């Protein structure tokens, strides 16, 4: 496994003071930007123009999580904007292999996300097309939800598949990550962790990142 990475989600940040909020997490590995369209998920956040401005002031690379419909059409624009890692949902893509290749060709790392109830197995043959596999540990759409332990077996199967294939694919988890749940997720095989409330809900977000990284490093 590669090193433990902590990607704070700005979904829990103060959007009025976003540049200052980004500076609080300068010791993070990436900043997780949740893009929601009120179609794929029942929430609306921000789009490409705002992501471009975030990128201009962020002290760390951007990890864009696109919770949007018609990912095949819209995701490449985020790669064109220079976002370091772009993750689309398998459920929102008609041609996920083509899309992953297009993201890589445009200079971004390609990630694919699966909702808690979406089976992993139909997508195992395309692991070599991905840089990251995101196993959602809550239903996507809202921050502050409790970690779903029922996703742990899927994380274990994903880790076994990655190691069995010999490809270098990170396994990210998103939803309900705390200093307690990160241990269970790491033991199951995850190595990239999205944390919103656990970071921005702490008095010292930078210190919270350090504690999460320590807890998630096995």
């Amino acid at each position: 496994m590669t090193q433990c990475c902590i990607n704070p989600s700005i979904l829990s940040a103060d959007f009025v003071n976003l540049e200052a909020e980004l500076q609080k997490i300068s010791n993070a590995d990436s900043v997780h930007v949740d893009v929601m369209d009120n179609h794929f998920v029942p929430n609306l956040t921000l789009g490409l123009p705002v992501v471009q401005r975030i990128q201009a002031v962020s002290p760390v690379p951007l990890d864009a999580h696109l919770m949007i419909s018609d990912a095949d059409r819209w995701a490449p624009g985020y790669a064109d904007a220079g976002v370091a890692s772009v993750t689309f949902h398998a459920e929102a893509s008609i041609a996920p292999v083509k899309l992953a290749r297009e993201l890589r060709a445009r200079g971004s790392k390609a990630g694919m996300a699966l909702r808690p109830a979406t089976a992993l197995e139909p997508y195992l043959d395309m692991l070599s097309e991905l840089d990251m596999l995101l196993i959602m540990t809550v239903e996507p759409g809202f921050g502050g939800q409790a970690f779903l332990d029922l996703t742990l077996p899927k994380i274990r199967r994903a880790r076994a598949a990655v190691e069995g294939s010999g490809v270098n694919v990170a396994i990210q988890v998103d939803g309900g990550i705390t200093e307690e749940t990160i241990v269970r997720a790491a033991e199951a095989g995850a190595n990239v962790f999205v944390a919103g409330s656990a970071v921005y809900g702490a008095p010292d977000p930078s210190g919270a990142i350090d504690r999460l990284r320590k807890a998630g490093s096995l």
Side-chain angles (χ1 to χ4, degrees), residues 89-104:
H89 268 264
E91 304 91 349
S93 172
I94 295 173
V97 172
K98 180 177 181 292
L99 178 54
R101 290 181 178 181
E102 191 167 358
L103 293 173
R104 282 177 159 181

Side-chain angles (χ1 to χ4, degrees), residues 74-202:
W74 299 111
Y78 289 82
D80 287 341
V83 173
S85 178
V86 179
T87 297
F88 61 92
H89 268 264
E91 304 91 349
S93 172
I94 295 173
V97 172
K98 180 177 181 292
L99 178 54
R101 290 181 178 181
E102 191 167 358
L103 293 173
R104 282 177 159 181
R106 297 186 185 207
S108 289
K109 290 184 177 180
M112 186 175 70
L114 303 176
R115 299 179 87 142
T118 299
L120 168 69
E121 285 67 26
Y123 300 98
L124 292 181
D125 287 344
M126 65 173 289
L127 282 177
S128 62
E129 307 289 345
L130 302 172
D131 298 289
M132 185 166 68
L133 180 65
L134 168 53
I135 306 295
M136 291 298 300
T137 45
V138 298
E139 280 296 335
F142 294 91
Q145 299 182 65
F147 183 89
L148 294 174
D149 282 282
L150 60 82
T151 60
L152 291 171
K154 184 193 288 189
I155 298 170
R156 294 189 188 99
R157 295 196 303 275
R159 172 53 59 192
V162 166
E163 293 185 351
S165 67
V167 295
N168 184 23
V169 178
I171 298 178
Q172 185 180 71
V173 289
D174 180 2
I177 296 298
T178 65
E179 287 182 55
E180 176 197 6
T181 60
I182 195 173
V183 175
R184 300 203 294 277
E187 288 175 344
N191 62 301
V192 182
F193 305 91
V194 177
S197 304
V199 172
Y200 279 112

Side-chain angles (χ1 to χ4, degrees), residues 48-102:
L48 183 55
V50 178
V51 171
Q52 290 173 312
R53 288 298 301 136
I54 292 171
Q55 182 167 274
V57 299
S58 176
V60 294
L62 266 59
D63 168 30
H65 177 193
L66 308 184
M67 289 168 272
I68 60 175
S69 300
D70 200 3
D72 304 271
R73 176 183 180 186
W74 299 111
Y78 289 82
D80 287 341
V83 173
S85 178
V86 179
T87 297
F88 61 92
H89 268 264
E91 304 91 349
S93 172
I94 295 173
V97 172
K98 180 177 181 292
L99 178 54
R101 290 181 178 181
E102 191 167 358

Side-chain angles (χ1 to χ4, degrees), residues 4-84:
C4 168
C5 295
I6 306 298
N7 297 6
S9 169
I10 57 169
L11 192 62
S12 298
D14 179 0
F15 273 53
V16 175
N17 301 292
L18 199 48
E19 184 171 359
E21 293 285 84
L22 289 165
Q23 295 304 316
K24 293 178 182 179
I25 60 167
S26 60
N27 61 326
D29 296 281
S30 294
V31 55
H32 191 80
V33 182
D34 294 294
V35 178
M36 307 183 195
D37 64 358
N38 203 29
H39 294 283
F40 181 71
V41 292
N43 196 4
L44 180 67
T45 53
L46 43 82
L48 183 55
V50 178
V51 171
Q52 290 173 312
R53 288 298 301 136
I54 292 171
Q55 182 167 274
V57 299
S58 176
V60 294
L62 266 59
D63 168 30
H65 177 193
L66 308 184
M67 289 168 272
I68 60 175
S69 300
D70 200 3
D72 304 271
R73 176 183 180 186
W74 299 111
Y78 289 82
D80 287 341
V83 173

